[in-house]
Amino acid sequence: MSTLDLCQENAPDYGNLVKDGHYDDMPHGLWGKYDNVRRFWENQVSRFAVHDSVVRIKERGKRLRIADLGCGSGEGWDLLMQIPTLEASDDAKLLAPEDVAHYYGVDLCAEMIETARRRFAGTAGLEFRAGDLREPDAILNGRPPFDLYYSSYGSYSHLTDSEMLNLIEAIAAHARGPAVLVMDMLGQYSLEWPQYWGYSRDPKAPRMMPYTMTWLYPPGEQERHRDEFSDYKLRLWGGREFERFVRRIPAVAKRVSSLAITDRSIFVGRHVDTREFNPDSPPIRRGVNGLFEFNCVTRPEDLLVGSLPFCEEPEVQAFLASWRETWNRAVGIYGRLVSNDPPSPDDFGTMLKGLPQPLRQGMEALALLRFRQGWLQPGDPVANLLQPQFAMLLRQAEYHAQQGLGCSHGFVAVLELNGR
């Protein structure tokens, strides 16, 4: 039996999800793989994180070659084709299919690869094959170098430290010219699992930690699927820890141009709702999903973050405390704004003092909507006008505040390498 066969035999969870139809459920706003936070928050932050690097690749004046390592059923292609240009009044996308010379998607799960092949059967230049990231030579050797070695949504957390090292070294050797590595993994310091916050400080602690994906199932089905993940383990990383790890790799150290890490979903990770790892976590993702959902009202008090567990990493502890204060303050101001007793313009201006600039500007825009919402009556302007805007404001505020510390459900590390 090949290594790939063994891996597929020992990791049936993704295949089961594909077979029973839940992995690719149609988008549903309040739960599941494609909930609102995934589509309108996490996907966008993932695109923001790679925007500048993709611009620099395009400036070389040739069509891109892309390797998507852990491609799933083609989610990476979907993300890349929707990167905004970031022009203020322009809905154009940074990449189009004609900008890509070849896209090569690899994933361990054969069912996902078959799904990807069906989805993109009519798209030229896309290739999907089953492969194991733990055997990088087998998936890269014999192929011309790629401009972008991409990954999304925790692909690299499936690897042990030695497997991660082997993969990055293999990519660095394969990429003879300038190249970009996008490495996506789970953050160690998420509010979802405070019991894991200190494990990387202990050299004797295991690095691969228990994890589940019960959130892919409807809330009423999650409990009966928990045992499917009894042997499922992932590596959680701190941002600074991962940066040190990467910069100590000789093949990287002599070629690194830049390394940027972006946290994604700091208080709105998947498992704040399931509470599988932290029974005290507030189900804030559920509330934010409600903010994005039309005709669904989220109570502001359901978005508040309570007291935080203590973290032994001073930088992490300070950031989480600061972001909690900013988050709760924004929620409080929003709650007052949508109440039956909104503040006067002068009082509102006073309430905004000291807020970070993106948050202050967004609140000012919300106030204009609040006092000019009559045109949407009947139509529930709070649920269908103000709430979605506030959700996007929280997303933008997180993006500008985050420090790449691994304080989130997942983070994106973008490594740019110079040519040899």
Side-chain angles (χ1 to χ4, degrees):
M1 183 178 290
S2 69
T3 301
L4 178 57
D5 290 334
L6 284 170
C7 292
Q8 291 172 344
E9 180 180 291
N10 294 326
D13 313 302
Y14 282 113
N16 289 339
L17 290 165
V18 174
K19 289 175 182 176
D20 66 20
H22 284 308
Y23 189 82
D24 281 301
D25 275 337
M26 291 300 290
H28 185 290
L30 300 178
W31 59 266
K33 178 184 175 184
Y34 297 111
D35 66 357
N36 288 328
V37 171
R38 166 69 178 257
R39 290 185 291 153
F40 304 126
W41 187 308
E42 294 167 337
N43 282 354
Q44 280 297 82
V45 172
S46 297
R47 295 171 183 130
F48 296 160
V50 302
H51 174 275
D52 291 355
S53 294
V54 173
V55 168
R56 284 188 281 273
I57 295 174
K58 288 190 66 178
E59 287 174 348
R60 298 174 199 159
K62 63 175 185 176
R63 299 171 71 205
L64 280 68
R65 287 181 49 81
I66 300 170
D68 188 352
L69 306 178
C71 65
S73 55
E75 289 89 348
W77 175 265
D78 295 331
L79 287 168
L80 291 168
M81 290 300 107
Q82 293 295 319
I83 300 174
T85 60
L86 301 188
E87 298 294 334
S89 59
D90 190 352
D91 189 43
K93 307 306 178 187
L94 190 60
L95 283 178
E98 55 266 27
D99 296 320
V100 179
H102 187 66
Y103 170 93
Y104 171 50
V106 179
D107 200 277
L108 181 64
C109 179
E111 289 88 352
M112 287 192 193
I113 292 299
E114 288 305 312
T115 299
R117 288 170 176 165
R118 288 194 300 270
R119 288 186 63 207
F120 298 101
T123 306
L126 274 66
E127 174 190 1
F128 295 94
R129 63 164 282 195
D132 189 349
L133 300 190
R134 291 172 289 189
E135 297 181 351
D137 290 342
I139 61 178
L140 293 176
N141 284 0
R143 293 177 176 272
F146 295 94
D147 303 292
L148 175 62
Y149 297 81
Y150 187 72
S151 75
S152 60
Y153 289 110
S155 295
Y156 275 60
S157 273
H158 291 268
L159 305 173
T160 66
D161 292 18
S162 60
E163 291 163 351
M164 175 89 75
L165 174 63
N166 188 35
L167 177 60
I168 295 175
E169 286 181 332
I171 292 174
H174 188 259
R176 294 187 291 271
V180 174
L181 282 67
V182 178
M183 298 165 283
D184 197 298
M185 61 213 73
L186 299 190
Q188 182 178 165
Y189 303 109
S190 173
L191 189 59
E192 300 159 277
W193 37 68
Q195 70 271 37
Y196 294 161
W197 285 7
Y199 83 92
S200 62
R201 296 170 64 93
D202 181 0
K204 296 181 181 179
R207 290 294 181 261
M208 304 298 287
M209 309 304 290
Y211 186 76
T212 74
M213 295 191 301
T214 53
W215 44 262
L216 281 164
Y217 294 97
E221 297 182 23
Q222 291 175 359
E223 180 65 32
R224 67 183 178 88
H225 286 284
R226 185 167 288 110
D227 289 344
E228 295 175 13
F229 303 94
S230 58
D231 296 323
Y232 198 65
K233 291 181 171 61
L234 296 179
R235 172 64 154 100
L236 281 64
W237 287 87
R240 298 291 184 260
E241 174 193 25
F242 185 71
E243 183 173 2
R244 290 191 297 269
F245 178 88
V246 170
R247 290 186 180 274
R248 287 172 181 168
I249 301 174
V252 170
K254 61 186 179 183
R255 294 177 58 191
V256 62
S257 172
S258 65
L259 174 60
I261 296 176
T262 303
D263 273 323
R264 178 188 60 216
S265 299
I266 293 174
F267 288 149
V268 292
R270 295 285 190 176
H271 283 295
V272 295
D273 285 357
T274 69
R275 298 181 172 178
E276 290 203 23
F277 303 95
N278 178 10
D280 298 321
S281 65
I284 293 177
R285 189 182 183 104
R286 184 185 310 158
V288 175
N289 275 327
L291 291 178
F292 281 115
E293 189 81 358
F294 283 112
N295 300 315
C296 178
V297 175
T298 293
R299 300 185 309 167
E301 55 265 35
D302 291 337
L303 299 171
L304 293 172
V305 179
S307 59
L308 298 172
F310 176 75
C311 182
E312 296 181 18
E313 296 290 343
E315 189 178 17
V316 172
Q317 178 72 15
F319 170 76
L320 286 174
S322 174
W323 178 236
R324 171 185 173 272
E325 180 181 357
T326 299
W327 175 283
N328 283 348
R329 187 178 170 196
V331 169
I333 296 171
Y334 168 78
R336 179 72 189 282
L337 188 63
V338 298
S339 72
N340 293 327
D341 182 28
S344 68
D346 288 344
D347 288 345
F348 188 71
T350 301
M351 295 169 71
L352 298 184
K353 287 183 178 178
L355 282 179
Q357 183 178 5
L359 198 51
R360 186 176 67 252
Q361 290 177 335
M363 284 293 186
E364 290 170 348
L366 270 179
L368 291 176
L369 287 174
R370 169 66 177 86
F371 296 111
R372 298 176 182 176
Q373 64 183 24
W375 63 271
L376 196 56
Q377 295 286 8
D380 200 341
V382 171
N384 299 324
L385 181 64
L386 299 178
Q387 280 193 170
Q389 301 301 314
F390 182 57
M392 286 187 279
L393 175 56
L394 289 174
R395 181 196 71 193
Q396 295 301 104
E398 178 196 89
Y399 176 71
H400 290 289
Q402 61 80 31
Q403 298 175 11
L405 298 175
C407 297
S408 51
H409 179 83
F411 65 81
V412 184
V414 181
L415 172 66
E416 295 195 25
L417 295 178
N418 296 315
R420 287 186 286 182

